[in-house]
């Protein structure tokens, strides 16, 4: 831990931003001081109540450093509570009220399925069963005209049916309400008046854009996770107050920005990918300052591995995402396996391969990994906490990559003998292989499975991974990074300071942001510059109103415009940036040209002669930061080194065809003096970087380990 003041001295002059990232195994806490100082803490996650680990970790830091809780200016939190509710199907009892005749939109979904040739594939059950889906007699046309007035008598009947269904949340989604929301708002008002405690979501407030299934699904997701998120955030605010932390609580959004706790309670669908987004945001910050234009991020923790892309310094974002049904991913090639979530997100691919992923043999005698995970309870066998199934972490311990005595600075002591016995009995002996060879096979198979996640955000998006560097973090990311880079023929690996807590750093560098969208369907050939300017102005007015309620005036807000476009007749859009107003005719031509360029990059072809349609206009209202948000790389290295295990010496590590080698074990700071060649293990408090034979490692001016990979 980095301690800038002598123990015992109160540090009231400084202020701190706190980043808290909860993982399946550990909860990561980072304090960034107004003077650039860094304090880190890694504590075991408390699965029954995630807030307990946060409060216990902060209390420990306050007592050790004699910090005044009043010096905390903000707590920024990345949470998986919404994601877990969907993946585990433990959300609120939800009802859906929709236009007469559209009761089964959730059931019909889209024709796409993720397993094309599986005749027995079963779609995940809708989040709202048919018995809790109700129809209102009303109809609005595509231009907002009322075709059938709202039948208030049927609304009263609906209210009684919702009461009888004992619903905890209600989603309201009427046909074409994105252009005329009056009927939705009337029904929403009646329900809120009669059921003040019921959680209500209107599609016209959450997602006023076309596509009936996606809009309905997104509205239902928001209602389904809403009560749980409301309870979790409310309880966390109370627990923080119990240790005298009364600063604002900010929640990471799926798009890499943060929102207030109140906004997260109102629109929890925006925080579905809250946790994974933080690591990509930290990567963007590092890439910008260190001059890494093109990087693919690789975040591997205890339960999952995640990848994203930063191209020319810009995050890759998407609004086509699926979550639930055992998955959460963005993919142009694999769709239909989850529930559609049509909101702006960082384009993250995620697979179930983490340190706790279970290793098993199928009936054909082939090694398989996951998707089952030992998680933090019982955990890998080497944790000696009741685990009986071998995991990736157990294989890494057997291979000599992980120090069994000083995981998390010695907080976790491992039992390598248990890992060896389990892998021998469950994997090596059934395959009639030596133990080290079998364990290395597990390592290689895990690396190959994670390559799929990296390809999903690069190759499948029309990008060549060889044009990018691999930025690896998370507790296990640096252990696998060089092998994955070799498989993709990438030449450079970057491991940032405190890689195991890197996502928590990303929380500290995020800004408050709100995004607004409105369907504005028209061909760019007939699009009026005046009409388009008016559409953007209306959205900017909405953004200013929301941010003003949160205490931010126009002088603190930056507005950014973008647009969703497609070739006429296409079913899906691409988002391209739009310059600030006022809109001119020439800018509409530029918009169509920019779309063609993005289409070429994404799909490998473009059709300049084809007409282009504008589908949606988007506005992002971003709060400009005050004060410093950066940190001193030397302080980041010191923070990691201070908590690290005693390094030095060497240990045996197995590297496949190179065999078992006596491998130096060093701290990151030792690479500051001179580069080193592999084999090498860089051991830190929160992660381990494996540098195999043939690779060269050094530390750059930003404190990152850079590994040159021989491909």
């Amino acid at each position: 831990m980095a301690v800038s003041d002598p123990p015992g001295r109160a540090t009231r002059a400084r202020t701190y931003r706190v980043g808290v990232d909860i993982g399946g195994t550990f909860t990561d806490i980072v304090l960034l001081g107004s003077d650039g100082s860094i304090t880190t803490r890694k504590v075991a996650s408390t699965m029954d109540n995630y807030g307990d680990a946060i409060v216990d970790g902060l209390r420990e830091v306050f007592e050790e450093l004699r910090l005044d809780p009043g010096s905390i200016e903000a707590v920024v939190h990345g949470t998986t509570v919404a994601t877990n509710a969907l993946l585990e199907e433990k959300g609120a009892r939800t009802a859906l009220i929709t236009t007469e005749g559209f009761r089964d939109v959730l059931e019909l979904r889209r024709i796409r399925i993720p397993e094309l040739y599986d005749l027995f594939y079963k779609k995940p059950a809708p989040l709202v069963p048919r018995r809790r889906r109700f129809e209102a007699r009303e109809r609005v046309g595509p231009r907002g005209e009322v075709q059938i007035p709202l039948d208030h008598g049927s609304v009263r009947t609906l209210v009684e049916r919702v009461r009888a269904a004992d619903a905890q949340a209600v989603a309201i989604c009427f046909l074409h309400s994105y252009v005329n929301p009056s009927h939705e708002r009337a029904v929403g008002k009646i329900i809120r008046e009669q059921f003040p405690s019921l959680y209500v979501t209107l599609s016209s407030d959450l997602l006023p854009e076309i596509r009936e299934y996606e809009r309905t699904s997104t509205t239902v997701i928001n209602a389904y996770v809403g009560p749980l998120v409301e309870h979790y955030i409310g309880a966390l605010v109370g627990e923080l107050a119990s240790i005298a932390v009364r600063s604002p609580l900010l929640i990471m959004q799926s798009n890499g920005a943060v929102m207030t706790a109140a906004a997260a309670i109102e629109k929890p669908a925006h925080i579905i990918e809250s946790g994974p987004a933080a690591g990509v945001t930290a990567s963007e910050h590092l890439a910008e300052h260190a001059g890494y234009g093109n990087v693919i991020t690789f975040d591997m923790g205890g339960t999952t591995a995640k990848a994203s892309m930063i191209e020319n310094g810009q995050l890759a974002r998407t609004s086509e995402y699926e979550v639930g049904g055992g998955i959460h991913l963005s993919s142009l090639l694999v769709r239909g396996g989850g529930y559609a979530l049509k909101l702006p997100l960082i384009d993250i691919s995620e697979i179930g391969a983490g340190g706790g992923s279970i290793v098993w043999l199928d009936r054909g005698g082939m090694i398989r990994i996951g998707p089952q995970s030992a998680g933090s309870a019982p955990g890998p066998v080497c944790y000696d906490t009741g685990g009986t199934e071998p995991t990736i972490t157990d294989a890494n311990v057997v291979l000599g990559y992980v120090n069994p005595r000083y995981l998390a600075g010695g907080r976790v002591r491992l039992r390598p003998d248990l890992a060896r016995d389990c892998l021998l009995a469950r994997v090596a002996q059934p395959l009639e292989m030596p133990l080290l060879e079998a364990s290395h096979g597990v390592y290689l198979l895990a690396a190959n499975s994670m390559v799929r996640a990296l390809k999903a955000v690069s190759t499948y998006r029309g990008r060549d991974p060889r044009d990018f560097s691999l930025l690896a973090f998370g507790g296990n990311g640096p252990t696998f990074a060089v092998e994955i880079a070799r498989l993709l023929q990438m030449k450079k690996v970057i491991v940032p300071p405190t890689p195991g807590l890197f996502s928590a750093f990303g929380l500290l560098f995020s800004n408050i942001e709100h995004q607004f969208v409105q369907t504005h369907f028209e061909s760019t050939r007939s699009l009026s510059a005046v009409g388009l300017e008016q559409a953007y102005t209306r959205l900017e007015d909405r953004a200013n109103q929301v941010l003003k309620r949160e205490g931010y005036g126009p002088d603190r807000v930056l507005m950014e415009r973008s647009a969703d476009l497609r070739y006429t007749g296409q079913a899906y859009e691409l988002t391209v940036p739009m310059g600030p107003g006022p809109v001119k005719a020439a800018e509409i031509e530029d918009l169509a040209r920019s779309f063609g360029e993005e289409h070429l990059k994404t799909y490998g072809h473009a059709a300049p002669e084809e007409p282009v349609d504008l589908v949606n206009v988007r506005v992002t209202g971003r709060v400009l930061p005050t004060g410093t948000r950066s940190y001193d790389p030397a302080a980041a290295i010191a923070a990691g080194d201070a908590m690290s295990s005693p390094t030095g010496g060497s240990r045996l590590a197995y590297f496949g065809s190179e065999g078992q080698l006596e491998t130096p074990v060093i701290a990151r700071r030792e690479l500051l003096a001179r580069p080193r060649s592999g084999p090498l293990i860089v051991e830190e408090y929160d992660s381990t970087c494996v540098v195999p034979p043939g690779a060269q490692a050094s530390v750059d001016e930003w404190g990152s380990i850079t590994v040159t990979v021989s491909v």
Side-chain angles (χ1 to χ4, degrees):
M1 180 178 298
V3 183
S4 301
D5 290 283
R9 180 191 293 180
T11 55
R12 298 182 61 88
R14 284 191 206 116
T15 59
Y16 295 86
R17 286 172 65 87
V18 178
V20 180
D21 180 51
I22 293 179
T25 306
F26 293 106
T27 293
D28 301 333
I29 300 174
V30 174
L31 278 74
L32 178 61
S34 54
D35 59 349
S37 61
I38 296 170
T39 304
T40 62
R41 179 70 71 191
K42 207 171 185 72
V43 297
S45 293
T46 47
M47 308 306 287
D48 293 337
N49 180 6
Y50 291 118
D52 288 346
I54 299 172
V55 170
D56 291 345
L58 285 175
R59 183 186 290 115
E60 190 176 316
V61 171
F62 293 163
E63 292 176 355
E64 184 173 329
L65 301 184
R66 298 290 300 275
L67 289 182
D68 177 7
S71 64
I72 306 300
E73 64 176 27
V75 176
V76 192
H77 181 28
T79 175
T80 58
V81 64
T83 309
N84 292 344
L86 282 163
L87 293 177
E88 298 170 10
E89 299 180 0
K90 294 181 179 179
R93 235 178 358 264
T94 304
L96 170 64
I97 299 176
T98 189
T99 301
E100 189 176 54
F102 288 81
R103 181 183 183 187
D104 296 319
V105 164
L106 290 180
E107 209 95 47
L108 296 172
R109 299 162 57 92
R110 295 294 182 194
I111 198 170
R112 295 286 295 270
I113 63 172
E115 300 172 30
L116 185 59
Y117 300 107
D118 185 354
L119 300 179
F120 302 100
Y121 174 76
K122 291 184 66 176
K123 296 178 181 178
L127 295 175
V128 181
R130 201 170 194 272
R131 65 182 180 277
R132 291 203 299 269
R133 304 199 295 261
F134 310 118
E135 298 177 336
R137 182 161 176 75
E138 65 84 40
R139 186 78 173 237
V140 171
R143 300 189 181 279
E145 72 279 13
V146 176
Q147 296 178 348
I148 300 176
L150 180 65
D151 184 340
H152 288 272
S154 72
V155 172
R156 287 191 291 272
T157 301
L158 287 177
V159 170
E160 290 305 315
R161 295 181 70 184
V162 169
R163 186 199 307 273
D166 194 26
Q168 299 168 309
V170 175
I172 303 174
C173 187
F174 290 159
L175 189 65
H176 301 307
S177 62
Y178 54 86
V179 65
N180 182 353
S182 59
H183 289 177
E184 278 192 4
R185 290 177 179 168
V187 174
K189 181 180 179 182
I190 292 170
I191 291 179
R192 284 174 172 136
E193 288 174 348
Q194 298 201 22
F195 300 101
S197 62
L198 204 63
Y199 189 94
V200 179
T201 298
L202 308 184
S203 76
S204 52
D205 291 338
L206 182 68
L207 187 65
E209 63 175 282
I210 62 170
R211 291 211 172 86
E212 203 62 24
Y213 165 63
E214 285 81 0
R215 187 161 55 90
T216 304
S217 177
T218 302
T219 306
V220 166
I221 287 172
N222 196 81
Y224 184 77
V225 302
L228 279 77
V229 171
E230 183 176 33
H231 172 77
Y232 173 77
I233 291 178
L236 180 56
V237 170
E239 289 178 89
L240 290 172
S242 71
I243 56 172
V245 176
R246 296 181 174 84
S247 54
L249 175 64
L250 304 176
I251 308 296
M252 171 62 76
Q253 299 184 57
S254 307
N255 63 5
V258 294
M259 63 199 315
T260 63
I265 289 172
E266 181 183 354
K267 297 181 178 180
H270 282 276
I271 67 169
I272 293 296
E273 285 296 283
S274 170
V280 186
T281 303
S283 301
E284 180 190 35
H285 181 86
L286 177 63
E288 176 187 357
H289 287 80
Y292 300 122
N294 294 336
V295 299
I296 295 175
T297 69
F298 171 56
D299 175 9
M300 182 181 177
T303 54
T304 58
K306 300 165 278 286
S308 188
M309 179 177 66
I310 298 172
E311 186 176 30
N312 298 322
Q314 300 296 313
L315 296 177
R317 288 187 168 89
T318 181
S319 59
E320 302 291 339
Y321 200 79
E322 292 189 357
V323 64
I327 67 163
H328 38 142
L329 82 162
S330 164
S331 174
L332 298 176
L333 302 178
V334 181
R335 284 187 177 146
Y339 308 112
L341 180 68
K342 194 168 172 53
L343 293 172
L345 301 95
I346 295 177
D347 191 355
I348 298 173
S349 176
E350 185 166 350
I351 62 172
S357 295
I358 292 174
V359 181
W360 53 284
L361 302 181
D362 64 17
R363 285 184 291 183
M366 299 291 289
I367 299 176
R368 303 291 185 186
I369 296 176
Q372 306 90 345
S373 175
S376 59
V381 173
C382 60
Y383 280 20
D384 195 18
T385 52
T388 58
E389 302 289 337
T391 66
I392 292 175
T393 294
D394 293 310
N396 287 342
V397 170
V398 171
L399 291 169
Y401 298 161
V402 176
N403 187 334
R405 293 174 297 170
Y406 289 101
L407 188 67
R411 284 172 171 257
V412 180
R413 294 295 183 103
L414 305 183
R415 290 279 305 275
D417 57 318
L418 297 180
R420 283 193 292 268
D421 292 345
C422 185
L423 279 162
L424 189 65
R426 297 295 186 95
V427 180
Q429 288 178 343
L431 295 178
E432 299 180 352
M433 295 174 65
L435 176 61
L436 288 175
E437 193 174 317
S439 298
H440 196 252
V442 170
Y443 176 83
L444 293 178
L445 183 60
N448 274 276
S449 69
M450 288 179 284
V451 162
R452 292 183 292 124
L454 274 72
K455 285 186 174 181
V457 298
S458 57
T459 307
Y460 302 160
R461 296 288 193 272
R463 275 66 168 180
D464 188 338
R466 292 173 295 184
D467 297 332
F468 293 75
S469 299
L470 182 61
L471 200 161
F473 53 94
N476 290 292
T479 306
F480 285 88
V482 176
E483 180 60 34
I484 289 173
R486 280 180 173 174
L487 291 170
L488 290 170
Q489 299 182 39
M490 301 171 74
K491 296 180 178 63
K492 179 183 279 189
V493 170
I494 304 162
V495 180
T498 59
L501 296 124
F502 195 58
S503 291
F505 277 105
L507 297 166
L508 301 174
F509 303 132
S510 302
N511 300 313
I512 290 179
E513 181 179 295
H514 291 281
Q515 296 197 20
F516 299 87
V517 61
Q518 181 66 58
T519 291
H520 189 92
F521 194 85
E522 192 172 351
S523 171
T524 56
R525 294 179 176 179
S526 61
L527 187 61
S528 159
V530 174
L532 183 57
E533 176 63 27
Q534 290 173 345
Y536 276 118
T537 300
R538 285 192 292 269
L539 285 184
E540 288 170 345
D541 289 343
R542 286 179 56 193
N544 277 318
Q545 290 172 10
V546 170
L547 290 166
K548 184 178 179 180
R549 287 199 299 269
E550 294 182 356
Y552 304 103
D555 58 317
R556 288 281 311 279
V557 176
L558 174 67
M559 293 292 176
E560 294 181 353
R561 297 175 172 184
S562 57
D564 298 346
L565 299 103
R566 68 187 187 191
Y567 288 123
T568 300
Q570 282 187 319
Y572 294 96
E573 301 82 45
L574 293 173
T575 302
V576 296
M578 180 79 179
V583 177
K584 298 181 176 62
E587 289 178 294
I588 295 177
E589 295 179 8
D590 291 340
L591 197 61
R593 190 179 304 110
S594 297
F595 164 74
E597 293 170 355
E598 183 62 28
H599 197 280
L600 178 63
K601 285 194 294 185
T602 302
Y603 298 109
H605 66 93
E609 70 284 353
E610 291 293 324
V612 175
D613 292 335
L614 171 69
V615 180
N616 302 309
V617 292
R618 297 182 181 273
V619 162
T620 300
R622 180 175 294 114
V623 177
L624 298 173
T626 58
T628 180
R629 291 281 185 87
S630 195
Y631 66 91
D632 178 4
I637 294 176
D641 283 350
M643 292 292 289
S644 294
S645 61
T647 53
S650 62
R651 64 171 174 262
L652 288 172
Y654 185 79
F655 294 98
S657 60
E658 287 88 356
Q660 194 172 32
L661 304 175
E662 194 68 37
T663 303
V665 179
I666 67 171
R668 180 182 296 247
R669 62 181 176 273
E670 295 180 52
L671 286 173
L672 287 167
R674 64 181 179 89
R676 301 278 293 267
S677 298
L680 187 69
I681 292 175
V682 184
E683 201 165 86
E684 303 186 87
Y685 161 65
D686 53 350
S687 188
T688 300
C689 179
V690 175
V691 183
Q696 303 285 326
S698 60
V699 170
D700 67 13
E701 61 180 318
W702 289 91
S704 297
I705 299 171
T706 60
V707 183
T708 303
V709 183
S710 58
V711 296

